[in-house]
């Protein structure tokens, strides 16, 4: 029975794509099964705060991309609406693994997922999404669950190796924040003991925020060009673009807050790294053209953002034994 109170869900069409809305008294979450199971809305209703960043190009159907020069980066970026993506089985730059060419951020974020309702009553609503990768023999599932009266989204993800031999993978949650929630001076909190490793080179030729080298202790680290920079404070528009890798989590959690905040918790034994991506308007070429103001705080199994082959080479890639399933539990909750 359709409800307009307590926990409820609706199936809708959003910009021509299948979507499902999970909602309760405090939270509204919109998921797009037709495009990777992306989360394109995480709205805290009491404060009218949406935590996800929405890119200027908006939500696009990857199946409608018929023009332009195809390449392994554009496959992800040209259809990147912001929001929150599942990244698997490769993270970051295009890579080749055992003869399989993997595009930017792997396979599943651009695929249509099946969607089934697994709970629909006043106490809770939940949907299960599932997909098989095309180039590697993996099956992915994730259950989104929203309980009445809470401001927390619960997710359980499963990655299964369907082959008779062991395989590697990178698994991550590409969670990014933007306006109006994200503003200069917003604060990022992490557990004690986290260390910072910069990406080996700048992601923007115009410069970077953190000096190469490390690792250093969070949050005050050497700045590129001298002095220090405090990574726990979100910078002003135009601040340098950068990506760093945070590790040393005894517990997997972070909080990012301004007037209102969000806390994300995850299994740090499975995803021991947190990628911190900052694109605050300094990149004036493709694909941002100076229009992005966003910070990503992305739990990941592996590093760096150079694709699966690099993670295999440095020993940070996941290994899934024949027919093994790995389970990831994650929770995102608004903290007022």
């Amino acid at each position: 029975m359709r409800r307009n109170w307590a926990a409820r869900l609706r199936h809708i069409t959003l910009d021509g794509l299948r979507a499902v809305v999970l909602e309760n008294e405090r939270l509204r979450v919109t998921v797009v099964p037709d495009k990777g199971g992306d989360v394109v809305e995480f709205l805290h209703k009491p404060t009218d705060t949406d935590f996800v960043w929405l890119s200027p190009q908006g939500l696009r159907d990857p199946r409608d991309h018929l023009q332009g020069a195809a390449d392994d980066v554009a496959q992800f970026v040209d259809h990147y609406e912001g929001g929150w993506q599942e990244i698997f089985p490769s993270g970051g730059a295009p890579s080749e693994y055992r003869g399989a060419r993997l595009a930017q951020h792997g396979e599943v974020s651009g695929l249509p997922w099946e969607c089934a309702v697994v709970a629909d009553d006043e106490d809770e609503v939940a949907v299960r999404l599932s997909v098989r990768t095309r180039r590697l023999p993996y099956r992915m599932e994730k259950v989104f669950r929203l309980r009445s009266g809470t401001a927390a989204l619960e997710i359980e993800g499963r990655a299964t190796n369907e082959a008779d031999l062991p395989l590697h993978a990178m698994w991550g949650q590409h969670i990014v924040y933007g306006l109006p929630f994200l503003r200069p001076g917003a604060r990022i909190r992490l557990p004690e003991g986290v260390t910072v490793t910069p990406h080996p080179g700048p992601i923007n030729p115009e410069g970077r925020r953190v000096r190469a080298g490390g690792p250093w202790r969070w949050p005050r680290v050497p700045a590129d060009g001298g002095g220090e920079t405090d990574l726990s404070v979100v910078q002003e528009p135009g601040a340098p673009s950068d990506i760093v890798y945070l590790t040393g989590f005894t517990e997997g959690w972070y909080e990012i807050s301004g007037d209102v905040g969000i806390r994300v918790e995850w299994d740090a034994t499975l995803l021991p790294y947190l990628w911190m991506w900052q694109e605050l308007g300094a990149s004036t070429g493709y694909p941002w053209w100076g229009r992005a103001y966003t910070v990503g705080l992305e739990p990941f199994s592996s590093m760096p953002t150079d694709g699966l082959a690099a993670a295999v080479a440095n020993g940070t890639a996941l290994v899934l034994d024949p027919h093994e399933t790995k389970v990831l539990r994650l929770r995102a909750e608004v903290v007022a």
Side-chain angles (χ1 to χ4, degrees):
M1 182 183 73
R2 179 167 178 171
R3 295 177 303 282
N4 290 324
W5 64 91
R8 63 267 199 190
L9 64 80
R10 290 180 294 129
H11 297 276
I12 65 171
T13 299
L14 185 63
D15 294 327
L17 297 166
R18 286 181 306 139
V20 60
V21 180
L22 296 89
E23 187 173 3
N24 66 9
E25 304 90 337
R26 303 179 64 188
L27 204 61
R28 186 171 71 231
V29 178
T30 301
V31 178
V32 186
D34 262 358
K35 186 187 175 295
D38 290 5
V39 176
V40 297
E41 180 185 41
F42 194 101
L43 181 76
H44 183 235
K45 294 163 67 174
T47 59
D48 196 30
T49 302
D50 190 2
F51 288 88
V52 304
W53 176 59
L54 300 177
S55 77
Q57 66 190 22
L59 182 62
R60 296 171 172 174
D61 187 341
R63 296 168 294 191
D64 291 341
H65 189 186
L66 302 177
Q67 303 297 323
D71 63 62
D72 286 344
V73 173
Q75 184 171 319
F76 178 87
V77 173
D78 286 1
H79 309 100
Y80 177 53
E81 78 285 358
W84 173 351
Q85 286 74 39
E86 191 87 23
I87 303 299
F88 191 93
S90 182
S95 179
E96 185 171 310
Y97 175 71
R98 297 168 70 170
R101 182 71 183 177
L102 300 169
Q104 177 87 6
H105 282 320
E107 295 196 70
V108 301
S109 63
L111 293 175
W113 294 50
E114 296 298 320
C115 180
V117 175
V118 295
D120 184 6
D121 58 47
E122 294 181 27
D123 294 328
E124 68 174 20
V125 289
V127 293
R128 177 182 291 109
L129 276 59
S130 61
V131 71
R132 281 186 167 89
T133 53
R134 306 282 173 85
R135 299 196 172 182
L136 275 70
Y138 283 114
R139 175 179 170 84
M140 299 288 294
E141 293 184 346
K142 52 184 174 181
V143 175
F144 293 92
R145 189 177 307 275
L146 185 61
R147 304 179 193 273
S148 178
T150 73
L153 177 68
E154 301 169 37
I155 301 174
E156 181 179 284
R158 293 176 176 268
T160 300
N161 175 8
E162 296 192 318
D164 294 330
L165 47 83
L167 294 172
H168 293 90
M170 297 175 76
W171 194 357
Q173 303 296 314
H174 194 277
I175 308 172
V176 299
Y177 303 94
L179 295 169
F181 161 67
L182 187 77
R183 296 180 182 176
R187 291 277 177 172
I188 299 166
R189 292 185 57 238
L190 300 177
E192 294 291 331
V194 169
T195 60
V196 180
T197 300
H199 191 65
I203 61 172
N204 179 6
E206 301 292 324
R208 61 189 303 172
R209 181 178 177 188
V210 181
R211 194 180 77 203
W216 294 293
R217 184 172 294 276
W218 168 272
R220 301 191 68 86
V221 301
D224 192 49
E228 285 189 331
T229 186
D230 186 349
L231 288 174
S232 69
V233 180
V234 176
Q235 301 295 286
E236 297 285 336
S241 309
D242 213 343
I243 186 166
V244 299
Y245 309 100
L246 313 175
T247 193
F249 290 88
T250 54
E251 300 176 286
W253 65 265
Y254 66 76
E255 293 181 1
I256 178 169
S257 59
D259 297 333
V260 65
I262 187 169
R263 179 183 176 96
V264 176
E265 301 173 350
W266 73 94
D267 178 2
T269 62
L270 185 61
L271 308 185
Y273 300 97
L274 184 68
W275 296 9
M276 182 179 179
W277 171 49
Q278 302 160 88
E279 182 48 71
L280 305 174
S283 297
T284 56
Y286 175 81
W288 309 122
W289 308 111
R291 300 189 299 169
Y293 185 82
T294 185
V295 169
L297 292 170
E298 310 168 25
F300 256 89
S301 64
S302 319
M303 62 165 281
T305 181
D306 289 337
L308 180 55
V312 172
N314 68 22
T316 64
L318 290 175
V319 177
L320 283 84
D321 289 329
H323 304 284
E324 180 185 4
T325 296
K326 292 191 181 294
V327 180
L328 171 65
R329 293 180 176 86
L330 186 143
R331 177 184 173 94
E333 181 171 14
V334 177
V335 288

